[in-house]
Amino acid sequence: MMLPSLVTLLSVGSMATAAPTTMNARDAVSRRLLIGGPSQILAVDFNGTSFEVVGKNVTSGAAPSWMRLKSSTKTLYAVDENTSNLNQFKLDDTKLSYTSSVTGSAGVVFLEFNKDQTRMVGAAYGSGMIDVWDVSADTPKILKQVKVEGALGPNQKIHHPHQALLDPTGRFMIIPDLGGDQILVLDTKDDKYEITKTVSLFAGAGPRHGGFITSGNNTFYTLACELSNKVILFQVDYTGDELAFKEISTQSTYGAEFPPANATSAAAGTVAIANNKDVYISNRLSGNATDSISHFVFDAKTTSLNFAHTASSHGILPRDISLSIDKDQSLLFVANQGGDNGLVALHRCPVTGRLDATPVAAKSLAELVAPGMEKEANAGPQFVQEI
Ligand SMILES: *[C@@H]1O[C@H](CO)[C@@H](O)[C@H](O)[C@H]1NC(C)=O
Ligand SMILES: *[C@@H]1O[C@H](CO)[C@@H](O)[C@H](O)[C@H]1NC(C)=O
Ligand SMILES: *[C@@H]1O[C@H](CO)[C@@H](O)[C@H](O)[C@H]1NC(C)=O
Ligand SMILES: *[C@@H]1O[C@H](CO)[C@@H](O)[C@H](O)[C@H]1NC(C)=O
Ligand SMILES: *[C@@H]1O[C@H](CO)[C@@H](O)[C@H](O)[C@H]1NC(C)=O
Ligand SMILES: *[C@@H]1O[C@H](CO)[C@@H](O)[C@H](O)[C@H]1NC(C)=O
């Protein structure tokens, strides 16, 4: 399975559109994607060979770098990384209509639902806070704002919660804190949303985004660290109300053979996991002609994470990568903030997990930059998700 939290985005309707009819079965599929980037949110249709923008909201100065769609109400929640606003839209077919905004902590970069989508947690990178929302009614109500505490990493001025990912049991959210070189465990039980555990990482780790793997009765967590460009594999053990993280391995997000041309600028991005086995990590600002996506394979027999290959992102600064929502997760979508291609679809072999070097489709960055942002550097897409 993919990241468990994304399962909540699956809609039966969009799965049903995957009806292969031609020789090129894998390409003859109509998909809808949500794209976020500086000053805009886009709804994009993908027909297997090209991307077409079908709906949009353009708001100068907004930074909707992360979104979640509540399937039951078609409510789209979007962060604005540059303010304290949580913005709400309705997504009705291709029509994206703004409905309202509420105020939480500043600089939220990630949203996550609880299991039944009545609560939503925001990771406020910009202000070192964690917001807990009641999203059971039309207007979100803030339930709790938790200040992240603890020692800071080298050269860090504040804590930077970067993600909040619901674990496979649906009880805990795991929050990497880039500023504090730690992982926080937020316990959602009985609506408490308390940090019940912190796990310290090595100094300068700079953890950013993680993902879960389940194998038999075992749970694993892979964590991509932006500041150190390391990927850490943990085994997660559950005992009663506790969970323990046991480090299994720490290695470069680039693998041993393909180091970044510029190790100073390099900054690991995000993680996508297919089939509880194939782990993809985006490598940003590598200094190479284009940035890359590393593919690691989790081996359940030896409980090890092994570098398999690297693929071009066909652009620069791939802040987000995500898998298509068909059963095979046959595509990996890439959002590049810079370079030639803003949006890319790479075919993924469902058996080996290997990504094709040549994209099945790509849309130029120039076509994906909001009006007025043309002169800004890296103003391309920051978020991509099939819905
Ligand atoms: C997808 O759309 C493009 C542009 O409209 C078109 O040229 C192409 O034939 C379409 N591909 C498929 C598989 O329908
Ligand atoms: C958001 O703020 C960043 C600085 O934090 C700035 O670089 C960027 O231009 C702002 N985005 C927009 C869309 O104004
Ligand atoms: C677009 O979204 C913003 C909130 O980010 C909202 O203020 C604005 O009214 C929306 N624009 C339209 C045309 O709906
Ligand atoms: C998982 O745990 C259950 C109950 O503890 C046990 O019956 C089952 O055999 C275990 N499955 C595997 C694959 O280890
Ligand atoms: C990036 O550049 C470095 C140094 O030139 C090189 O060793 C590495 O193989 C390149 N990466 C890729 C994916 O080509
Ligand atoms: C490598 O990246 C650093 C930090 O962004 C930058 O200052 C430096 O100029 C880069 N080096 C090269 C050779 O581009």
Side-chain angles (χ1 to χ4, degrees):
M1 284 305 290
M2 62 205 298
L3 297 180
S5 59
L6 298 184
V7 172
T8 54
L9 286 173
L10 293 183
S11 93
V12 173
S14 55
M15 292 284 284
T17 60
T21 49
T22 69
M23 295 269 292
N24 251 343
R26 80 180 192 216
D27 295 337
V29 170
S30 171
R31 304 175 184 280
R32 165 99 17 99
L33 308 178
L34 272 174
I35 306 294
S39 300
Q40 64 181 356
I41 296 172
L42 305 175
V44 169
D45 276 0
F46 176 58
N47 70 358
T49 56
S50 75
F51 298 104
E52 188 193 353
V53 176
V54 293
K56 61 167 79 175
N57 171 285
V58 178
T59 306
S60 176
S65 55
W66 189 264
M67 293 172 247
R68 286 282 190 206
L69 183 67
K70 187 171 179 173
S71 40
S72 59
T73 57
K74 295 185 175 166
T75 305
L76 179 67
Y77 300 92
V79 307
D80 180 357
E81 196 178 328
N82 282 20
T83 68
S84 305
N85 289 346
L86 172 66
N87 298 319
Q88 289 185 92
F89 301 82
K90 287 275 179 212
L91 186 64
D92 209 352
D93 191 30
T94 62
K95 201 164 172 287
L96 184 67
S97 335
Y98 170 72
T99 52
S100 62
S101 302
V102 287
T103 304
S105 297
V108 175
V109 294
F110 201 98
L111 300 170
E112 176 71 311
F113 291 122
N114 68 343
K115 224 173 179 172
D116 63 8
Q117 302 195 336
T118 56
R119 301 288 181 260
M120 192 172 71
V121 168
Y125 176 94
S127 56
M129 302 290 291
I130 295 162
D131 289 352
V132 183
W133 296 95
D134 176 351
V135 289
S136 57
D138 272 354
T139 302
K141 273 201 292 280
I142 196 95
L143 287 181
K144 205 167 174 183
Q145 290 174 291
V146 183
K147 188 176 177 348
V148 178
E149 281 167 347
L152 288 166
N155 307 316
Q156 295 296 313
K157 297 194 172 62
I158 64 165
H159 289 279
H160 287 308
H162 218 309
Q163 182 191 45
L165 202 61
L166 195 64
D167 79 334
T169 69
R171 170 167 172 183
F172 301 98
M173 289 200 194
I174 308 303
I175 301 172
D177 168 19
L178 183 144
D181 290 332
Q182 61 182 342
I183 320 172
L184 313 171
V185 177
L186 188 72
D187 190 351
T188 72
K189 193 166 182 241
D190 301 330
D191 227 12
K192 286 206 177 95
Y193 289 85
E194 280 168 354
I195 294 173
T196 52
K197 189 181 185 75
T198 60
V199 180
S200 294
L201 307 173
F202 63 91
R208 187 173 196 278
H209 277 192
F212 289 98
I213 293 172
T214 53
S215 171
N217 287 339
N218 296 323
T219 302
F220 300 88
Y221 178 69
T222 55
L223 177 62
C225 298
E226 169 174 338
L227 300 182
S228 57
N229 293 290
K230 294 281 198 277
V231 52
I232 310 177
L233 175 69
F234 296 94
Q235 179 153 358
V236 185
D237 289 322
Y238 295 84
T239 41
D241 292 337
E242 282 284 313
L243 72 185
F245 285 74
K246 188 176 90 196
E247 182 186 333
I248 294 176
S249 66
T250 298
Q251 62 190 303
S252 168
T253 62
Y254 287 86
E257 288 166 51
F258 302 97
N262 188 340
T264 311
S265 57
T270 192
V271 180
I273 301 179
N275 206 15
N276 281 310
K277 172 175 84 66
D278 296 305
V279 177
Y280 304 92
I281 299 178
S282 63
N283 292 308
R284 303 177 301 170
L285 299 174
S286 317
N288 294 65
T290 61
D291 277 325
S292 61
I293 294 146
S294 291
H295 170 216
F296 294 84
V297 178
F298 175 73
D299 182 339
K301 284 205 190 82
T302 57
T303 57
S304 59
L305 188 66
N306 303 301
F307 180 80
H309 85 296
T310 180
S312 171
S313 80
H314 300 276
I316 303 288
L317 260 173
R319 172 157 169 165
D320 201 15
I321 57 175
S322 59
L323 292 150
S324 58
I325 60 178
D326 52 310
K327 190 167 159 287
D328 279 346
Q329 300 179 292
S330 57
L331 296 169
L332 186 78
F333 297 108
V334 183
N336 288 303
Q337 289 180 248
D340 291 341
N341 299 296
L343 185 57
V344 174
L346 298 174
H347 178 255
R348 190 188 87 81
C349 171
V351 180
T352 65
R354 200 175 172 88
L355 300 171
D356 284 358
T358 307
V360 297
K363 197 170 185 66
S364 75
L365 191 87
E367 292 175 273
L368 290 162
V369 168
M373 300 292 292
E374 297 86 352
K375 293 210 170 65
E376 305 281 323
N378 304 322
Q382 300 174 313
F383 172 88
V384 57
Q385 179 65 59
E386 184 181 356
I387 51 170

